[in-house]
Amino acid sequence: MAFQYPAARRDEEKVDDYHGVKISDPYAWLEDPDSEETKAFVEAQNQLTMPFLEKCTVRLQFHRRLTELYDYPKYSCPYKRGNRFFYFHNQGLQNQDVLYVQDSLDGAASVFFDPNTLSEDGTVALKMGRLSEECEYFAYGLSSSGSDWVTVRFLKADDLSPLPDVLERVKFSCLAWTHDAKGVFYNCYPPQDGKADGTETTSNLNQKLYYHVIGTSQSEDILVAEFLDHPKWHSGVTVSDDGRYAVLSITEGCEPVNRLWYCDLQQLPNGITGMLPWVKLVDNFEAQYSYVTNEGSVFTFRTNLQAPRYRLINIDLEKPDPAQWSTLLPEHPKDVLGIVACVNQRHLLVNYVHDVKDVLQLRELSTGELIRDLPLDVGTVAGLSCKKKHPDFFYKFTSFTTPGIIYHCDLSQASPEPRVFREVEVKGIQQEDYQTSQVFYSSKDGTKIPMFLVHARGIKKDGSHPVFLYGYGGFDHSIQPHYNSAYLLFVRHLGGILAVANIRGGGEYGQTWHKGGTLGNKQNCFDDFQCAAEYLIQEGYTTASRIAINGASNGGLLVAACVNQRPELFGCAVAEVGVMDMLKFHKFTIGHAWTTDYGCADKPEEFQWLFKYSPLHNLPPAPRDGPPYPAVLLLTADHDDRVVPLHTLKYAATLQHGVGRSPGQLQPLLVRVDTRSGHGAGKPTSKAIQEDADVFAFIAQVLGLGWRD
């Protein structure tokens, strides 16, 4: 059946000039989220999409079964503050995780903070929480409806009594207590015209760093750093393990590079009273420096300076000349140095990523020497909890088929051995029913790309299996094995194969891999993803008409660009909260920070890169005879202030106008706009389950998949 799509006004006179190239933007009016015309467009789209989704054959079964499988207890690693232990726990279907406290690891636990009491529908989320060093106070940041805006409040940790202090206009912020518990460092933005509730598109500029003293109003907060000549700079403070130094990291965009300033808080006779006297240890954006720990004036940093796979270096603040810096742990010849944390005063926990799988080691802080490898199955360290002054640590392991095993190790014991502290089992999931493998396939330029496959044991390579192919490929972000109940349902009840392609642009093999998929090399991401689909076809797993591709945010851009370039290669495409207008993304909210990965259309050469693949600008402008597009489902949300909804709305209008009116286009091209929801973080369990059920019901419907018990 062909679909009748809502009519959307085209403003043919809206034309922008990019370096002499005229680009029409007929749906620019959709950039105003508050106009009645935009609201009517969204309403009309949902009135087309929701009845289609509601009629999908497997939707109710998928939702019911997913609810059952989601209903297992979830735990974070415990962490110690003062003499008490804290951990997050979700009984199964609670909308938000609850923070618990206990006096000892085997003592009774009680609720410390429950975000579920803050809203009936679970849309108020705990975005950030920090206990002061000796557990006097709890600072916590709440966000509503998935927005990046945060309101910070405080309570006393002993009796849970609330304090009157409130911090507003907080976003992309640090939250760092000084060890005397007198106050916190945090970031906020100056007031802006109009609203700031997550539905606006205003650019976020001129972030400032403040120190808030407990018991005072925000209007009295002390400005400790600002960058008036650099409105796009962001900053964040880490207070050193010994409490003596404030270490300031300054970034501009999303590139893993930062300036590194510090302030010796002991040198402030009257405490923090004004702009801090920052010492500029590194005052350029040539490499990244992440604080690990310090022994007096000798600081250990994880860095990619002359080390695309990262290394550990020591810098003595009393000998700051780079010629005096020393290597504590050299760059590994192949593996990427990941998480590094100090424990038990003199040890380091060191994580390496080896072919997208995690390794965890215990090393000497003084020499970097290896003491031992820690037990870890094939998968991911999803959590690590330790402090320099405490002898014990926790780490959490996860994989595609393991929801979470938490290990505990106490280094004060004679022969310390990690033991299973908590292991979760999911009713109805038998690990032995699934097979996980990693393959390496060739991309267009010959580069070998790793890909994980999860499927039922003993499947035949007869080309019959539906595939859910997921990718991201950007911002140095690695996609490692992780547990997802909906993925396992797709494999178990829809007979599918999960394929996760670790394409370039991510951080799976360090900076070289990241830069291989950014700026002028962005096409490599799309080639890598398309070659993943071709590999799965060539190897006899599937056929093009049975491949569903999926990605979110930068991954939504990936999906849309690949559909434009190779529509015949896929049967279905689900693009969530995607960046679709590559010529204007930098003009909205925090989009300017992404120019480090994408480039910016304000520059002539970079405009040429972006224009070649921008999903919005590479759609057929009018009905055509070319190969039909696969079924498309686009997802966005009204409070997404990271990738604002206008990207998806403009793309949907253009897609339906051109492809949607083409005579051979029988598959649906739909958009689902959620309300009281954002980019993804803090999404309540009930909304997450409904969204997954809609996505996989759509895939099953358009690929013709039936439910298997």
Side-chain angles (χ1 to χ4, degrees):
M1 60 171 283
F3 287 76
Q4 283 296 113
Y5 296 105
R9 175 174 67 87
R10 287 177 64 81
D11 180 358
E12 304 292 359
E13 294 181 5
K14 179 71 175 86
V15 178
D16 297 314
D17 186 318
Y18 292 89
H19 318 289
V21 181
K22 300 283 194 289
I23 309 284
S24 66
D25 193 5
Y27 300 113
W29 54 270
L30 282 166
E31 292 169 11
D32 179 2
D34 300 318
S35 78
E36 292 306 317
E37 197 174 15
T38 298
K39 290 176 184 173
F41 176 84
V42 168
E43 181 68 21
Q45 293 294 340
N46 275 338
Q47 282 177 0
L48 177 66
T49 301
M50 295 320 292
F52 181 90
L53 294 175
E54 283 156 14
K55 289 191 185 110
C56 288
T57 316
V58 306
R59 184 174 186 244
L60 288 175
Q61 280 168 298
F62 201 97
H63 189 278
R64 186 172 64 242
R65 191 77 181 94
L66 184 57
T67 303
E68 290 170 5
L69 282 190
Y70 228 88
D71 194 6
Y72 67 90
K74 303 161 187 73
Y75 294 92
S76 74
C77 289
Y79 60 95
K80 194 174 184 182
R81 283 293 180 278
N83 295 314
R84 298 198 285 172
F85 290 91
F86 295 81
Y87 63 91
F88 284 98
H89 171 51
N90 190 311
Q91 293 166 5
L93 293 173
Q94 290 174 281
N95 274 323
Q96 301 289 341
D97 296 350
V98 179
L99 184 58
Y100 286 80
V101 61
Q102 52 190 161
D103 291 332
S104 65
L105 287 176
D106 48 11
S110 60
V111 171
F112 183 80
F113 188 85
D114 183 1
N116 295 292
T117 62
L118 303 175
S119 63
E120 283 190 22
D121 60 359
T123 54
V124 174
L126 179 65
K127 199 73 171 265
M128 55 203 310
R130 299 285 186 279
L131 285 149
S132 57
E133 186 69 11
E134 296 304 327
C135 207
E136 301 93 338
Y137 299 108
F138 181 53
Y140 61 96
L142 302 177
S143 73
S144 295
S145 303
S147 167
D148 280 328
W149 288 112
V150 169
T151 299
V152 177
R153 298 179 186 274
F154 300 82
L155 53 81
K156 289 178 73 173
D158 52 2
D159 61 5
L160 305 187
S161 58
L163 300 178
D165 310 42
V166 181
L167 310 179
E168 303 277 13
R169 300 204 51 74
V170 177
K171 199 184 213 187
F172 311 126
S173 177
C174 66
L175 198 54
W177 287 94
T178 46
H179 283 203
D180 57 13
K182 285 183 179 171
V184 287
F185 293 103
Y186 75 99
N187 304 86
C188 73
Y189 284 91
Q192 65 193 36
D193 293 336
K195 58 187 180 172
D197 62 1
T199 62
E200 79 287 351
T201 62
T202 321
S203 202
N204 302 136
L205 297 168
N206 294 303
Q207 192 198 58
K208 299 176 189 295
L209 180 71
Y210 286 91
Y211 183 70
H212 172 76
V213 177
I214 293 298
T216 64
S217 79
Q218 186 175 13
S219 61
E220 300 171 56
D221 286 354
I222 301 152
L223 178 65
V224 293
E226 64 177 346
F227 316 102
L228 296 177
D229 296 334
H230 304 282
K232 295 179 182 178
W233 283 13
H234 284 98
S235 66
V237 159
T238 302
V239 175
S240 61
D241 287 335
D242 56 11
R244 176 170 175 173
Y245 298 93
V247 182
L248 181 67
S249 171
I250 300 166
T251 56
E252 183 178 49
C254 296
E255 189 74 3
V257 295
N258 61 283
R259 291 169 190 250
L260 187 67
W261 301 358
Y262 73 88
C263 175
D264 183 347
L265 301 175
Q266 274 189 14
Q267 300 297 314
L268 306 176
N270 303 313
I272 299 169
T273 56
M275 205 67 83
L276 290 178
W278 298 105
V279 179
K280 299 178 180 180
L281 189 61
V282 178
D283 205 29
N284 56 56
F285 288 127
E286 290 171 13
Q288 185 178 64
Y289 305 85
S290 304
Y291 172 82
V292 176
T293 189
N294 64 298
E295 295 279 292
S297 65
V298 178
F299 278 63
T300 302
F301 295 99
R302 173 183 176 266
T303 184
N304 53 22
L305 178 69
Q306 296 154 358
R309 287 177 300 282
Y310 294 86
R311 61 184 174 129
L312 293 183
I313 61 170
N314 284 341
I315 302 177
D316 188 338
L317 302 187
E318 293 175 0
K319 304 172 189 168
D321 187 321
Q324 304 281 317
W325 299 357
S326 61
T327 298
L328 175 62
L329 194 58
E331 180 185 39
H332 191 280
K334 180 181 177 185
D335 299 347
V336 182
L337 179 64
I339 310 162
V340 183
C342 189
V343 65
N344 196 34
Q345 298 293 354
R346 56 194 181 84
H347 292 122
L348 290 175
L349 286 166
V350 174
N351 153 239
Y352 280 103
V353 184
H354 171 77
D355 281 334
V356 205
K357 303 173 292 286
D358 275 335
V359 176
L360 193 59
Q361 301 175 337
L362 188 66
R363 289 179 174 266
E364 293 282 2
L365 170 61
S366 57
T367 62
E369 191 176 328
L370 178 66
I371 298 169
R372 61 168 296 181
D373 285 320
L374 296 165
L376 208 59
D377 208 342
V378 176
T380 307
V381 176
L384 184 64
S385 162
C386 63
K387 268 185 97 65
K388 183 171 187 171
K389 64 184 179 182
H390 296 147
D392 56 345
F393 62 90
F394 298 84
Y395 61 98
K396 180 178 177 178
F397 168 81
T398 188
S399 73
F400 288 116
T401 55
T402 310
I405 304 172
I406 295 173
Y407 294 88
H408 178 223
C409 185
D410 186 348
L411 295 172
S412 65
Q413 294 177 347
S415 51
E417 196 62 42
R419 62 177 181 85
V420 174
F421 175 74
R422 198 170 259 144
E423 183 166 9
V424 168
E425 290 187 8
V426 180
K427 300 185 297 286
I429 291 289
Q430 307 298 325
Q431 280 201 42
E432 53 273 17
D433 292 346
Y434 300 90
Q435 185 173 335
T436 301
S437 59
Q438 187 181 36
V439 299
F440 293 83
Y441 65 90
S442 294
S443 189
K444 192 172 178 180
D445 62 0
T447 301
K448 288 289 187 191
I449 311 294
M451 176 163 60
F452 288 107
L453 302 177
V454 182
H455 50 74
R457 286 199 179 277
I459 62 168
K460 291 192 175 76
K461 290 189 180 182
D462 57 7
S464 69
H465 309 285
V467 167
F468 183 85
L469 174 58
Y470 175 86
Y472 184 77
F475 298 96
D476 198 32
H477 180 55
S478 302
I479 306 297
Q480 293 185 255
H482 56 287
Y483 189 80
N484 183 311
S485 301
Y487 288 176
L488 295 183
L489 275 192
F490 174 73
V491 175
R492 172 73 181 77
H493 292 295
L494 297 175
I497 296 172
L498 168 67
V500 177
N502 295 108
I503 62 177
R504 282 172 284 185
E508 284 85 350
Y509 292 100
Q511 274 310 290
T512 310
W513 198 254
H514 170 222
K515 288 179 176 164
T518 65
L519 303 175
N521 297 323
K522 189 67 181 168
Q523 182 59 39
N524 284 338
C525 304
F526 314 138
D527 291 343
D528 292 355
F529 201 54
Q530 292 159 30
C531 287
E534 290 176 333
Y535 170 86
L536 293 164
I537 296 165
Q538 287 159 6
E539 289 295 310
Y541 288 103
T542 190
T543 52
S545 63
R546 293 178 81 72
I547 297 177
I549 55 172
N550 172 249
S553 197
N554 172 73
L557 155 65
L558 169 73
V559 166
C562 287
V563 167
N564 281 344
Q565 293 177 9
R566 297 288 303 279
E568 78 292 345
L569 191 54
F570 317 108
C572 175
V574 180
E576 305 176 33
V577 294
V579 188
M580 304 303 197
D581 185 343
M582 300 308 296
L583 302 187
K584 292 172 94 170
F585 71 85
H586 59 291
K587 297 177 183 289
F588 308 108
T589 61
I590 195 58
H592 59 77
W594 315 332
T595 56
T596 50
D597 242 54
Y598 297 144
C600 179
D602 294 345
K603 299 178 180 175
E605 183 193 8
E606 298 178 7
F607 161 74
Q608 294 295 340
W609 304 337
L610 294 161
F611 188 47
K612 274 187 188 138
Y613 70 80
S614 176
L616 177 66
H617 301 95
N618 285 276
L619 283 165
R624 61 181 202 140
D625 295 325
Y629 267 43
V632 174
L633 179 63
L634 308 166
L635 289 87
T636 188
D638 64 347
H639 283 73
D640 188 344
D641 47 2
R642 188 81 57 84
V643 180
V644 286
L646 65 90
H647 284 277
T648 293
L649 301 183
K650 288 169 66 175
Y651 180 80
T654 310
L655 178 70
Q656 292 173 352
H657 174 74
V659 177
R661 295 187 303 144
S662 300
Q665 184 63 34
L666 302 179
Q667 289 280 43
L669 310 167
L670 302 177
V671 57
R672 176 190 189 272
V673 185
D674 199 10
T675 54
R676 290 182 61 72
S677 195
H679 197 59
K683 186 170 290 181
T685 298
S686 56
K687 275 186 177 288
I689 290 174
Q690 187 59 64
E691 187 172 294
D692 280 341
D694 285 350
V695 165
F696 282 96
F698 179 84
I699 291 169
Q701 192 74 15
V702 299
L703 298 188
L705 311 181
W707 186 264
R708 305 176 179 190
D709 283 322

